[in-house]
Amino acid sequence: MNTESPFQRIESTTNKLMTAVLNILFFIIFIPFPILFVLGPVYGIYKRGFETMIYPALVCWGISALILIPAVCYYIKRKTLKSKIVVDETGLLFYNAKNEITDQILYKDLRPSKQNFDIYTVNPVGSGIAPLLEITIQSEKKEETICIDMNLPLKVVKNKYTLYAHFLRGIVNFRPDVKVDPMVFRSYSIDAETWKVNSRGVSLGGWLVILTAFMITALICGFVFLLSETKN
């Protein structure tokens, strides 16, 4: 059933505080500590000798490489990564920092699945993480099943569930032949009559990510402390 008024266009909004915390943690973990892991062993070799410090140095340099290489790759590609999500009358669009479309899922490309329903939710590994939306689309010359994630790199999306609700509303409006599992609405706390979403703060998954980042920071701090004690 089509709406009488034009289909509204909505964009993703971010939780500025939690996004700032996430970015600060990213900077702390991926910039200063890897540098310390490189310079610390060099200083240890200078003070205690090559033979004494070679194995700790190799371990530290290996850890630094594992951290710095992805961080440098992210920095190089940061402007081409997804930075904004839009849901409009055409479908779901992902934009980068240059306001270029990096990915899109159009309503016209949706296809029925071979199951009882065509749209499902799936839970990623680990409890408490927001479920992903599973759909079937026509990709080039074949049909494939994909999962939609309304998250953005190094951003905490505040209206994630609203984006899911609006995308589902577009499916119901423009592709009534595609069946949505009723459990989907419950998973995202969507009222199928009003398309309103129950108010939510930062999801448990978001808090788990931040807690994990804090724990990694603490572990690295402890390792650096032990390394400095060994040098002394």
Side-chain angles (χ1 to χ4, degrees):
M1 181 177 66
N2 294 327
T3 56
E4 295 180 359
S5 58
F7 192 74
Q8 184 182 5
R9 181 182 190 271
I10 66 169
E11 297 183 4
S12 57
T13 58
T14 57
N15 185 316
K16 294 182 180 180
L17 175 61
M18 300 311 298
T19 297
V21 170
L22 193 61
N23 279 270
I24 289 170
L25 287 173
F26 176 84
F27 176 81
I28 291 173
I29 293 172
F30 289 98
I31 305 299
F33 284 130
I35 293 174
L36 287 174
F37 271 42
V38 172
L39 298 181
V42 172
Y43 180 76
I45 291 173
Y46 171 74
K47 293 292 290 184
R48 304 191 63 186
F50 182 81
E51 292 184 358
T52 304
M53 292 299 298
I54 182 60
Y55 292 113
L58 290 174
V59 171
C60 289
W61 291 338
I63 294 174
S64 299
L66 291 175
I67 296 175
L68 281 174
I69 291 173
V72 171
C73 290
Y74 169 78
Y75 181 80
I76 293 172
K77 299 190 299 182
R78 70 190 188 284
K79 290 187 177 181
T80 62
L81 298 176
K82 300 172 183 177
S83 65
K84 182 175 68 175
I85 304 171
V86 172
V87 181
D88 61 14
E89 70 278 359
T90 63
L92 180 64
L93 310 174
F94 294 90
Y95 289 83
N96 59 22
K98 300 177 181 179
N99 208 35
E100 300 170 337
I101 296 177
T102 61
D103 194 10
Q104 60 183 8
I105 300 170
L106 305 180
Y107 299 125
K108 67 182 181 64
D109 292 335
L110 296 177
R111 294 292 181 270
S113 68
K114 297 180 181 179
Q115 305 179 62
N116 294 332
F117 296 98
D118 306 315
I119 309 291
Y120 287 89
T121 52
V122 292
N123 292 311
V125 177
S127 61
I129 308 298
L132 307 180
L133 196 65
E134 183 178 279
I135 64 173
T136 302
I137 62 170
Q138 181 69 36
S139 175
E140 296 180 353
K141 296 182 179 180
K142 63 177 183 178
E143 291 185 2
E144 62 177 337
T145 300
I146 63 172
C147 291
I148 299 175
D149 187 359
M150 297 290 186
N151 289 308
L152 295 171
L154 285 183
K155 290 186 178 183
V156 178
V157 180
K158 185 165 59 174
N159 62 339
K160 181 191 309 181
Y161 285 83
T162 302
L163 292 168
Y164 278 119
H166 205 56
F167 181 62
L168 289 167
R169 186 177 188 176
I171 293 174
V172 172
N173 287 345
F174 302 116
R175 292 296 307 273
D177 58 309
V178 177
K179 301 177 183 178
V180 180
D181 183 357
M183 286 299 296
V184 171
F185 300 104
R186 183 177 298 181
S187 298
Y188 297 124
S189 301
I190 301 169
D191 186 332
E193 297 294 328
T194 63
W195 297 102
K196 299 287 185 181
V197 177
N198 292 338
S199 179
R200 286 175 175 263
V202 178
S203 67
L204 179 58
W207 286 113
L208 287 175
V209 170
I210 294 170
L211 178 61
T212 301
F214 271 118
M215 291 176 64
I216 293 173
T217 303
L219 287 172
I220 295 176
C221 286
F223 189 85
V224 172
F225 174 78
L226 290 175
L227 186 61
S228 64
E229 288 294 310
T230 302
K231 293 175 188 175
N232 294 332

mmCIF file of all heavy atoms in Angstrom, residues 31-48:
data_model
loop_
_atom_site.group_PDB
_atom_site.id
_atom_site.type_symbol
_atom_site.label_atom_id
_atom_site.label_comp_id
_atom_site.label_asym_id
_atom_site.label_seq_id
_atom_site.Cartn_x
_atom_site.Cartn_y
_atom_site.Cartn_z
ATOM 1 N N ILE A 31 47.845 4.586 17.701
ATOM 2 C CA ILE A 31 48.922 5.517 17.352
ATOM 3 C C ILE A 31 50.039 5.532 18.399
ATOM 4 O O ILE A 31 51.137 5.048 18.142
ATOM 5 C CB ILE A 31 48.384 6.949 17.102
ATOM 6 C CG1 ILE A 31 47.278 6.918 16.041
ATOM 7 C CG2 ILE A 31 49.515 7.875 16.662
ATOM 8 C CD1 ILE A 31 47.713 6.394 14.692
ATOM 9 N N PRO A 32 49.818 6.069 19.626
ATOM 10 C CA PRO A 32 50.936 6.175 20.577
ATOM 11 C C PRO A 32 51.516 4.837 21.010
ATOM 12 O O PRO A 32 52.738 4.676 21.049
ATOM 13 C CB PRO A 32 50.312 6.918 21.780
ATOM 14 C CG PRO A 32 49.093 7.567 21.247
ATOM 15 C CD PRO A 32 48.587 6.659 20.183
ATOM 16 N N PHE A 33 50.650 3.855 21.334
ATOM 17 C CA PHE A 33 51.152 2.596 21.854
ATOM 18 C C PHE A 33 51.997 1.815 20.852
ATOM 19 O O PHE A 33 53.046 1.284 21.207
ATOM 20 C CB PHE A 33 50.002 1.746 22.385
ATOM 21 C CG PHE A 33 49.483 2.220 23.712
ATOM 22 C CD1 PHE A 33 48.137 2.411 23.912
ATOM 23 C CD2 PHE A 33 50.350 2.513 24.751
ATOM 24 C CE1 PHE A 33 47.650 2.868 25.127
ATOM 25 C CE2 PHE A 33 49.876 2.969 25.966
ATOM 26 C CZ PHE A 33 48.530 3.147 26.162
ATOM 27 N N PRO A 34 51.569 1.708 19.582
ATOM 28 C CA PRO A 34 52.452 1.028 18.625
ATOM 29 C C PRO A 34 53.805 1.719 18.492
ATOM 30 O O PRO A 34 54.826 1.056 18.317
ATOM 31 C CB PRO A 34 51.655 1.107 17.314
ATOM 32 C CG PRO A 34 50.242 1.174 17.746
ATOM 33 C CD PRO A 34 50.251 2.001 18.990
ATOM 34 N N ILE A 35 53.803 3.065 18.594
ATOM 35 C CA ILE A 35 55.076 3.787 18.517
ATOM 36 C C ILE A 35 55.954 3.432 19.716
ATOM 37 O O ILE A 35 57.166 3.223 19.589
ATOM 38 C CB ILE A 35 54.818 5.304 18.430
ATOM 39 C CG1 ILE A 35 54.150 5.646 17.088
ATOM 40 C CG2 ILE A 35 56.131 6.086 18.577
ATOM 41 C CD1 ILE A 35 53.734 7.086 16.964
ATOM 42 N N LEU A 36 55.322 3.349 20.919
ATOM 43 C CA LEU A 36 56.061 2.943 22.110
ATOM 44 C C LEU A 36 56.597 1.525 21.956
ATOM 45 O O LEU A 36 57.700 1.209 22.401
ATOM 46 C CB LEU A 36 55.164 3.034 23.345
ATOM 47 C CG LEU A 36 54.832 4.437 23.853
ATOM 48 C CD1 LEU A 36 53.829 4.359 24.991
ATOM 49 C CD2 LEU A 36 56.095 5.150 24.316
ATOM 50 N N PHE A 37 55.799 0.669 21.308
ATOM 51 C CA PHE A 37 56.227 -0.719 21.112
ATOM 52 C C PHE A 37 57.402 -0.805 20.129
ATOM 53 O O PHE A 37 58.114 -1.792 20.113
ATOM 54 C CB PHE A 37 55.049 -1.537 20.582
ATOM 55 C CG PHE A 37 54.192 -2.131 21.662
ATOM 56 C CD1 PHE A 37 53.853 -1.396 22.775
ATOM 57 C CD2 PHE A 37 53.744 -3.431 21.560
ATOM 58 C CE1 PHE A 37 53.060 -1.938 23.767
ATOM 59 C CE2 PHE A 37 52.946 -3.988 22.552
ATOM 60 C CZ PHE A 37 52.609 -3.238 23.664
ATOM 61 N N VAL A 38 57.575 0.212 19.319
ATOM 62 C CA VAL A 38 58.714 0.238 18.396
ATOM 63 C C VAL A 38 59.926 0.866 19.075
ATOM 64 O O VAL A 38 61.032 0.315 19.055
ATOM 65 C CB VAL A 38 58.359 1.021 17.117
ATOM 66 C CG1 VAL A 38 59.608 1.211 16.252
ATOM 67 C CG2 VAL A 38 57.281 0.286 16.326
ATOM 68 N N LEU A 39 59.729 2.043 19.702
ATOM 69 C CA LEU A 39 60.843 2.777 20.298
ATOM 70 C C LEU A 39 61.313 2.149 21.606
ATOM 71 O O LEU A 39 62.509 2.213 21.927
ATOM 72 C CB LEU A 39 60.433 4.231 20.533
ATOM 73 C CG LEU A 39 60.063 5.036 19.275
ATOM 74 C CD1 LEU A 39 59.694 6.461 19.647
ATOM 75 C CD2 LEU A 39 61.207 5.027 18.274
ATOM 76 N N GLY A 40 60.363 1.567 22.374
ATOM 77 C CA GLY A 40 60.749 0.962 23.650
ATOM 78 C C GLY A 40 61.806 -0.118 23.506
ATOM 79 O O GLY A 40 62.844 -0.067 24.181
ATOM 80 N N PRO A 41 61.589 -1.108 22.644
ATOM 81 C CA PRO A 41 62.618 -2.130 22.461
ATOM 82 C C PRO A 41 63.946 -1.578 21.931
ATOM 83 O O PRO A 41 65.013 -2.093 22.269
ATOM 84 C CB PRO A 41 61.981 -3.074 21.437
ATOM 85 C CG PRO A 41 60.518 -2.897 21.633
ATOM 86 C CD PRO A 41 60.345 -1.449 21.950
ATOM 87 N N VAL A 42 63.878 -0.542 21.106
ATOM 88 C CA VAL A 42 65.120 0.071 20.606
ATOM 89 C C VAL A 42 65.924 0.622 21.776
ATOM 90 O O VAL A 42 67.146 0.450 21.869
ATOM 91 C CB VAL A 42 64.803 1.179 19.582
ATOM 92 C CG1 VAL A 42 66.075 1.943 19.216
ATOM 93 C CG2 VAL A 42 64.164 0.581 18.335
ATOM 94 N N TYR A 43 65.203 1.305 22.669
ATOM 95 C CA TYR A 43 65.869 1.841 23.863
ATOM 96 C C TYR A 43 66.392 0.711 24.740
ATOM 97 O O TYR A 43 67.494 0.800 25.308
ATOM 98 C CB TYR A 43 64.895 2.713 24.656
ATOM 99 C CG TYR A 43 65.490 3.309 25.907
ATOM 100 C CD1 TYR A 43 66.362 4.383 25.836
ATOM 101 C CD2 TYR A 43 65.173 2.773 27.155
ATOM 102 C CE1 TYR A 43 66.919 4.921 26.988
ATOM 103 C CE2 TYR A 43 65.716 3.302 28.321
ATOM 104 C CZ TYR A 43 66.585 4.382 28.226
ATOM 105 O OH TYR A 43 67.134 4.912 29.359
ATOM 106 N N GLY A 44 65.616 -0.379 24.865
ATOM 107 C CA GLY A 44 66.051 -1.526 25.660
ATOM 108 C C GLY A 44 67.313 -2.157 25.088
ATOM 109 O O GLY A 44 68.217 -2.548 25.840
ATOM 110 N N ILE A 45 67.387 -2.267 23.766
ATOM 111 C CA ILE A 45 68.590 -2.806 23.121
ATOM 112 C C ILE A 45 69.786 -1.908 23.403
ATOM 113 O O ILE A 45 70.900 -2.382 23.679
ATOM 114 C CB ILE A 45 68.355 -2.965 21.608
ATOM 115 C CG1 ILE A 45 67.344 -4.092 21.356
ATOM 116 C CG2 ILE A 45 69.668 -3.255 20.871
ATOM 117 C CD1 ILE A 45 66.912 -4.210 19.908
ATOM 118 N N TYR A 46 69.551 -0.603 23.364
ATOM 119 C CA TYR A 46 70.630 0.367 23.623
ATOM 120 C C TYR A 46 71.144 0.245 25.060
ATOM 121 O O TYR A 46 72.360 0.322 25.308
ATOM 122 C CB TYR A 46 70.108 1.776 23.352
ATOM 123 C CG TYR A 46 71.058 2.871 23.797
ATOM 124 C CD1 TYR A 46 72.226 3.145 23.071
ATOM 125 C CD2 TYR A 46 70.783 3.610 24.937
ATOM 126 C CE1 TYR A 46 73.092 4.149 23.486
ATOM 127 C CE2 TYR A 46 71.646 4.621 25.355
ATOM 128 C CZ TYR A 46 72.798 4.882 24.633
ATOM 129 O OH TYR A 46 73.653 5.877 25.046
ATOM 130 N N LYS A 47 70.218 0.045 26.027
ATOM 131 C CA LYS A 47 70.603 0.014 27.435
ATOM 132 C C LYS A 47 71.107 -1.360 27.883
ATOM 133 O O LYS A 47 72.057 -1.449 28.671
ATOM 134 C CB LYS A 47 69.399 0.407 28.303
ATOM 135 C CG LYS A 47 68.959 1.851 28.145
ATOM 136 C CD LYS A 47 69.977 2.845 28.689
ATOM 137 C CE LYS A 47 70.039 2.786 30.198
ATOM 138 N NZ LYS A 47 70.946 3.818 30.754
ATOM 139 N N ARG A 48 70.496 -2.442 27.395
ATOM 140 C CA ARG A 48 70.783 -3.769 27.934
ATOM 141 C C ARG A 48 71.479 -4.703 26.952
ATOM 142 O O ARG A 48 71.852 -5.813 27.320
ATOM 143 C CB ARG A 48 69.494 -4.415 28.422
ATOM 144 C CG ARG A 48 68.747 -3.583 29.450
ATOM 145 C CD ARG A 48 67.633 -4.355 30.093
ATOM 146 N NE ARG A 48 68.145 -5.488 30.842
ATOM 147 C CZ ARG A 48 67.375 -6.409 31.419
ATOM 148 N NH1 ARG A 48 66.053 -6.330 31.283
ATOM 149 N NH2 ARG A 48 67.893 -7.416 32.086
#
